[in-house]
């Protein structure tokens, strides 16, 4: 029993060390946001001598120049709408690939490779197109580009989920006289709900974290939080106020962090479903 107990203790220690290492940037940012400017300069460790929320108060006080709530709202709308549009476009295509075999050999590899290409390559043509159709600095324009960015991921995940769905279920629905549309809505959609939900969450998080197109396609009205947060690094003429900047970083990661914490088990089950086949 002792060797086994020692092995378990070693595993816990290794996992704790790994968790601390991977989350160190987040921990350091949170700790910095709870320190005053003087303590940040004097005490760079993870300890806090005099915790304060003054940095968060100053973030809100700066709303006359940098409205963080406006940036958060823009990101929620753009990332949410982009994820929903990507799902609406990818679901019929995934059904065609998984069930009819249309493009099964070439479509997933092509869209996956397109997603692997650096997005900066598409920057100039997309900017010119947006300028021509007056979509610059609009939430719908940002949502459309986030939809395109996430479409390959959504398509691949949905194809895998539909491929794992037994054909017998659909055949039973057809024998009962269900049309293709009714079968998709009443049979396929409910059975793939976990995969769809996990895909929506991941697509929302990736859209939330997108910086390049947010910087390039927005200037004022539709600025997302990833771009707006960077404004606080030059908000003061006396140099960067690291406590305020850290507070902005913490606020900017809260929505996707909370969402992922609530959905991580759900996402894990959905993404690994079918990974092991007998």
């Amino acid at each position: 029993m002792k060797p086994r107990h020692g092995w378990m203790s070693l595993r816990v220690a290794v996992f704790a060390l790994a968790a601390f290492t991977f989350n160190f940037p987040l921990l350091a940012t949170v700790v910095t946001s709870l320190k005053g400017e003087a303590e940040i300069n004097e005490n760079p460790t993870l300890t806090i001598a005099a915790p304060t929320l003054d940095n968060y108060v100053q973030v809100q006080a700066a709303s006359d120049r940098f409205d963080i709530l406006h940036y958060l709202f823009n990101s929620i709308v753009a990332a949410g709408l982009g994820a929903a549009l990507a799902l609406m476009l990818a679901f019929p295509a995934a059904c065609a690939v998984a069930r009819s075999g249309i493009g099964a050999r070439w479509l997933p590899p092509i869209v996956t490779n397109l997603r692997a290409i650096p997005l900066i390559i598409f920057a100039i043509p997309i900017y010119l197109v947006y300028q021509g159709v007056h979509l610059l600095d609009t939430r719908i324009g940002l949502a459309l580009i986030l939809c395109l960015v996430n479409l390959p991921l959504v398509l691949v995940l949905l194809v895998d989920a539909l491929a794992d769905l037994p054909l017998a279920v659909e055949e039973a629905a057809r024998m009962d006289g269900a049309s293709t549309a009714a079968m998709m809505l009443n049979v396929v959609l409910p059975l793939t709900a976990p995969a769809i939900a996990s895909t929506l969450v991941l697509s929302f998080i990736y859209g939330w974290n997108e910086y390049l197109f947010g910087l390039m396609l927005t200037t004022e009205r539709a600025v997302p939080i990833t771009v707006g947060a960077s404004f606080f690094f030059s908000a003061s003429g006396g140099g960067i106020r690291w406590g305020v900047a850290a507070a902005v970083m913490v606020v900017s990661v809260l929505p996707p962090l909370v969402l992922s914490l609530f959905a991580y088990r759900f996402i894990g089950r959905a993404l690994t479903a079918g990974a092991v086949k007998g």
Side-chain angles (χ1 to χ4, degrees), residues 128-139:
L128 294 177
V129 170
Y130 269 49
Q131 188 178 45
V133 297
H134 306 289
L135 281 176
L136 290 177
D137 202 24
T138 62
R139 296 189 187 102

Side-chain angles (χ1 to χ4, degrees), residues 78-209:
L81 185 57
L85 289 174
L87 178 64
M88 292 171 59
L89 291 173
F91 188 77
C95 290
V97 172
R99 286 297 180 255
S100 302
I102 301 175
R105 291 188 176 182
W106 54 267
L107 185 58
I110 285 179
V111 297
T112 303
N113 289 332
L114 282 176
R115 185 61 181 87
I117 296 175
L119 297 178
I120 192 66
I121 292 178
F122 307 104
I124 294 177
I126 288 176
Y127 183 87
L128 294 177
V129 170
Y130 269 49
Q131 188 178 45
V133 297
H134 306 289
L135 281 176
L136 290 177
D137 202 24
T138 62
R139 296 189 187 102
I140 183 64
L142 187 58
L144 288 175
I145 198 64
L146 294 180
C147 167
L148 293 177
V149 168
N150 287 317
L151 197 54
L153 169 70
V154 176
L155 178 61
V156 169
L157 291 178
L158 290 182
V159 167
D160 289 342
L162 290 170
D164 290 335
L165 192 65
L167 285 173
V169 176
E170 298 178 24
E171 292 172 355
R174 290 188 184 278
M175 291 181 62
D176 290 339
S179 63
T180 301
M183 181 183 63
M184 289 297 169
L185 291 175
N186 300 324
V187 178
V188 176
L189 200 60
L191 291 177
T192 55
I196 290 174
S198 65
T199 301
L200 274 174
V201 171
L202 289 174
S203 183
F204 177 87
I205 292 174
Y206 289 159
W208 184 280
N209 292 333

Side-chain angles (χ1 to χ4, degrees), residues 203-245:
S203 183
F204 177 87
I205 292 174
Y206 289 159
W208 184 280
N209 292 333
E210 173 60 37
Y211 179 81
L212 172 64
F213 289 115
L215 177 65
M216 184 183 68
L217 301 177
T218 65
T219 54
E220 183 179 356
R221 293 174 298 174
V223 173
I225 187 61
T226 49
V227 177
S230 65
F231 298 160
F232 287 81
F233 282 91
S234 59
S236 175
I240 299 175
R241 303 185 63 183
W242 293 109
V244 176

Side-chain angles (χ1 to χ4, degrees), residues 12-103:
V12 171
V14 171
F15 290 155
L17 179 61
F20 176 80
T21 302
F22 288 125
N23 290 284
F24 178 80
L26 179 60
L27 293 173
T29 303
V30 173
V31 169
T32 302
S33 71
L34 298 175
K35 293 181 179 181
E37 290 297 325
E39 186 178 355
I40 291 174
N41 296 325
E42 298 172 0
N43 177 24
T45 67
L46 292 181
T47 61
I48 307 175
T52 178
L53 296 177
D54 185 59
N55 293 318
Y56 293 91
V57 174
Q58 293 184 48
V59 169
Q60 181 58 33
S63 60
D64 57 333
R65 292 179 297 167
F66 308 112
D67 192 346
I68 191 171
L69 294 180
H70 178 67
Y71 302 150
L72 285 170
F73 179 73
N74 289 339
S75 285
I76 291 173
V77 173
L81 185 57
L85 289 174
L87 178 64
M88 292 171 59
L89 291 173
F91 188 77
C95 290
V97 172
R99 286 297 180 255
S100 302
I102 301 175

